[in-house]
Structures are given as C-alpha cells and as structure tokens.
Amino acid sequence: MVKYCAAYNCSNADTKLNRKQGITFHRFPKDNKKKQQWAQAVHRADPVSGKLWTPSEWDMICSQHFNPDCFKEINGKKFLKEGSCPSIFSFPDNFQRIDNSLRRSKRAGIVLENPPLEADPSEVHVTPATVTTDHHYHIADSPKTLKRKLDELLAENHKLRRKLRNASDQEERLHKNVEILLDKLHSKDMLSREVT
C-alpha cells in the first residue's frame, strides 16, 4: 500500500522518485502527548465530528514539513530528532494568519517552537476557519449529504438515459422513414438505384 503524507495541500507519496529526491515519511508518534502536538500542527478536522482529527497508527507526515535541523543522519539514513514536530505547511493565506497568531507573541517578538497543547483532544472543536482538508481520500460531507447528492445524481442519470433512449428511438424512426421514402422514389423511377 502506498503511503501518503497527511499534511494539508501535500500530495507526496512514498515513491521511488520521491525517495531519490530525499523525501522520507515519518509516522505520528505513539506517545499521546506528542501525537496530539503533531495533530494540532497539521490542523485537520474529523469529517464526522468536526473535532480535531486523530491520526491512526498508519498516518504519516513527509520530511518536507519539518525544519532541516529536526533531522539527524545515521549511516546515510535520515531520522527525526527526539521532540521534533512538523511546522512547515502551505495553508491558505487567511489560515496562516490564524496559525501565526497562535505561535507568535508580538509583544515578546518570539516564535514558539510548538503551540501549547489542549487539555483533551476529544473536547477540542475545530471550526472550518482553522481546518482545511484536500486529500483525495478525505470525505468532508456527512452521510446524509452524500446520500442526498447520490440520489440527485441518480435522478439526473435516469433523466439523461431516458433522453438518450428517446433520441435513439427517434433516430431509428427517421431512418425507417427515409428508407420508405427512397423505396417509393425508386418504385416510381424518380430516383435511380445508383444515386442511393
């Protein structure tokens, strides 16, 4: 199974080409506090509950979302340093302002390495202004909305099929009428067989 990056607006997959370019993939930490920290950095919402998305044990972030100083090299392989957190994302402009307001203290003029953690991830509600989803495998609509859209598409499909069938029937009738007309013209010697 191909691994994909879970970050917003990132389409990196674990392919030979990406590996040649030095892109590595890193699983979310097993430690709940660190996993929560990474999930907050990613800013994704659960499509059903609207709460902060909880990554599974298979979800990954690619190396392009970490600062270069987050890595150490051992025997030619790239590893994340202890305590590293993804921080490089390409959020929309209005999202960046929200993100920067969380991480930057204007009076002190310092940038926090990691945003403060929320008390309980199950109680964190994420609004559409702070979370975006763009992955091809992500479905943001509720099951009721999806069912309604499916019903509308099926009804439209039925109408189009009926139109196609009617047009096909009309074409067949026209062909028969043309054949009958040609036969009459031939029988009255008004049209030679060579012309048709």
Side-chain angles (χ1 to χ4, degrees):
M1 188 166 89
V2 178
K3 300 177 232 173
Y4 291 95
C5 181
Y8 172 79
N9 205 21
C10 183
S11 58
N12 284 338
D14 189 14
T15 61
K16 288 181 183 179
L17 178 64
N18 282 341
R19 275 184 255 139
K20 281 183 182 178
Q21 293 175 352
I23 298 173
T24 55
F25 285 78
H26 307 276
R27 290 190 192 277
F28 279 75
K30 290 184 180 179
D31 177 64
N32 285 335
K33 189 174 181 181
K34 290 178 185 174
K35 184 189 280 189
Q36 173 70 13
Q37 200 173 26
W38 281 34
Q40 283 183 335
V42 171
H43 290 295
R44 281 180 57 188
D46 183 274
V48 177
S49 68
K51 296 179 182 178
L52 186 65
W53 169 72
T54 304
S56 73
E57 62 182 289
W58 300 282
D59 287 315
M60 301 187 148
I61 299 283
C62 76
S63 57
Q64 291 188 328
H65 304 289
F66 294 89
N67 287 320
D69 59 345
C70 291
F71 294 98
K72 59 185 174 186
E73 201 166 309
I74 301 173
N75 295 331
K77 289 188 177 183
K78 202 189 306 189
F79 294 94
L80 278 175
K81 290 180 182 175
E82 186 68 29
S84 296
C85 185
S87 59
I88 302 169
F89 299 98
S90 60
F91 296 118
D93 290 340
N94 62 342
F95 189 87
Q96 280 288 19
R97 284 193 292 276
I98 294 166
D99 189 51
N100 288 340
S101 69
L102 292 174
R103 294 173 185 254
R104 186 178 299 275
S105 168
K106 290 183 181 178
R107 282 182 294 207
I110 56 172
V111 177
L112 301 174
E113 283 297 317
N114 296 310
L117 295 177
E118 299 289 337
D120 182 8
S122 65
E123 294 178 8
V124 177
H125 288 273
V126 186
T127 63
T130 59
V131 175
T132 51
T133 53
D134 73 333
H135 289 280
H136 61 84
Y137 52 84
H138 178 79
I139 300 173
D141 292 331
S142 71
K144 283 184 179 180
T145 305
L146 291 173
K147 174 72 169 113
R148 181 183 48 76
K149 286 180 180 179
L150 176 64
D151 290 342
E152 288 171 1
L153 289 172
L154 288 173
E156 181 68 21
N157 185 4
H158 181 71
K159 285 179 188 176
L160 291 172
R161 284 181 181 272
R162 192 177 329 130
K163 275 186 175 181
L164 180 64
R165 190 171 48 246
N166 290 343
S168 178
D169 290 346
Q170 185 179 9
E171 182 185 12
E172 194 175 314
R173 283 192 303 272
L174 288 172
H175 277 289
K176 284 183 182 177
N177 288 339
V178 167
E179 285 178 15
I180 292 169
L181 181 62
L182 288 174
D183 284 343
K184 284 183 180 179
L185 290 173
H186 290 304
S187 66
K188 294 182 179 181
D189 290 330
M190 298 178 80
L191 186 65
S192 66
R193 296 267 179 207
E194 292 85 37
V195 174
T196 60

